[in-house]
């Protein structure tokens, strides 16, 4: 099977398995922890051969971004310390954008919550109902896997989501691309862009970029707004 046909087959199989039997809460929690730990090993350019969390300082940045920032050492850091077994988890049910973040950000800056929410929803729901040359395809499962994988990399877990879907739908090259774009965007190359979903249209792959960046923004907002909420209370 081609890359496209294999992906569509996995999507179909996931839907059938979901209808037949749902995973238990314990199984879903285990799958999340596994995916979260594995995401720490994903680095730009490949999968790390050793279980060592990758940080911004571990690799020389080839692109000169110093003129755009005041602190050249500022950048993404994995949420786990080196060698740490119990990684911190942000349970989305305890602090969600819809139920908590939206109302707080509106209090802090009038109407900005409505604008952000509209942007999140528009990008998340954007679809042509196509996958390359195939039409009338429901891409909800795939879009949800992309969005939730970004949040997983930031330690955010949705109790009602089966993270086994992430592992089945997102192949290695795509996971490398996702982490690079969301965590080290200055390292993104055309070669990496071309290495995944080679049969897809550029418009579909650009939508992936939009989805990744909105997921990252929402993850960062959740952490920031939760901290503000704790401070206010």
């Amino acid at each position: 099977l081609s890359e496209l046909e294999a992906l569509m087959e996995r999507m179909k199989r996931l839907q059938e398995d979901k209808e037949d039997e749902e995973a238990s809460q314990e199984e879903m929690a285990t799958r999340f922890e596994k995916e979260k730990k594995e995401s720490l090993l994903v680095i730009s350019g490949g999968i790390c051969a050793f279980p060592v969390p990758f940080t911004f300082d571990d690799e020389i940045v080839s692109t000169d971004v110093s003129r755009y920032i005041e602190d050249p050492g500022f950048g993404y850091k994995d949420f786990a310390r080196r060698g740490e077994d119990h990684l911190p988890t942000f349970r989305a049910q305890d602090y969600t954008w819809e139920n908590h973040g939206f109302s707080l950000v509106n209090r802090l800056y009038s109407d900005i919550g409505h604008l952000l929410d509209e942007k999140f929803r528009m990008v998340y729901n954007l679809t042509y109902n196509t996958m390359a040359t195939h039409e009338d395809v429901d891409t909800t499962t795939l879009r949800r896997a992309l969005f939730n994988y970004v949040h997983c990399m930031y330690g955010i877990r949705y109790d009602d989501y089966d993270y086994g879907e992430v592992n089945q739908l997102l192949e290695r090259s795509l996971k490398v691309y996702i982490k690079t774009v969301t965590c080290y965007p200055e390292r993104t190359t055309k070669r990496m862009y071309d290495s995944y979903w080679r049969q897809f249209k550029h418009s579909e792959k650009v939508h992936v970029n939009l989805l990744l960046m909105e997921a990252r923004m929402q993850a960062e907002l959740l952490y920031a707004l939760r901290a503000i909420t704790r401070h206010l209370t």
Side-chain angles (χ1 to χ4, degrees), residues 10 23 37 51 107 171 200:
R10 290 196 297 272
K37 289 180 179 179
R107 282 172 51 198
E171 70 276 10
F200 282 68

Side-chain angles (χ1 to χ4, degrees), residues 14 124 139-152 161-163 165-170 178 211-212:
L14 276 174
Y124 186 86
T139 61
T140 303
T141 304
L142 186 56
R143 284 180 280 125
R144 183 170 59 237
L146 289 165
F147 191 92
N148 286 356
Y149 181 62
V150 173
H151 280 205
C152 177
Y161 181 69
D162 183 358
Y163 287 85
E165 294 186 6
V166 169
N167 209 36
Q168 294 187 56
L169 296 178
L170 310 184
I178 290 172
L211 193 59
L212 299 182

Side-chain angles (χ1 to χ4, degrees), residues 194-211:
D194 292 336
S195 68
Y196 80 96
W197 288 1
R198 289 177 290 271
Q199 296 170 294
F200 282 68
K201 301 172 185 176
H202 285 298
S203 58
E204 293 170 317
K205 298 178 76 168
V206 167
H207 179 210
V208 170
N209 286 2
L210 294 174
L211 193 59

Side-chain angles (χ1 to χ4, degrees), residues 16-117:
E16 292 173 348
D17 292 344
K18 186 179 296 185
E19 292 174 356
D20 293 339
E21 182 180 357
E22 289 190 5
S24 66
Q25 281 294 320
E26 183 178 355
E27 288 175 322
M28 291 199 290
T30 300
R31 291 171 184 174
F32 169 78
E33 291 300 327
K34 179 181 178 181
E35 196 64 48
K36 183 172 64 171
K37 289 180 179 179
E38 288 182 353
S39 74
L40 297 176
L41 309 182
V42 176
I43 63 174
S44 56
I47 304 296
C48 184
F50 304 97
V52 179
F54 180 76
T55 62
F56 185 83
D57 295 322
D58 290 335
E59 184 177 284
I60 297 174
V61 180
S62 58
T63 304
D64 180 18
V65 296
S66 60
R67 61 182 179 276
Y68 302 116
I69 54 179
E70 294 181 0
D71 180 7
F74 180 80
Y76 171 84
K77 297 283 187 181
D78 278 315
F79 54 83
R81 296 185 182 90
R82 192 180 298 271
E84 194 172 75
D85 292 328
H86 301 287
L87 309 182
T89 296
F90 183 139
R91 294 182 70 254
Q93 276 67 18
D94 295 336
Y95 198 93
T96 65
W97 165 254
E98 292 81 5
N99 298 330
H100 305 91
F102 173 81
S103 58
L104 176 60
V105 80
N106 261 346
R107 282 172 51 198
L108 299 174
Y109 190 171
S110 180
D111 292 332
I112 192 66
H114 294 285
L115 296 174
L116 288 171
D117 190 63

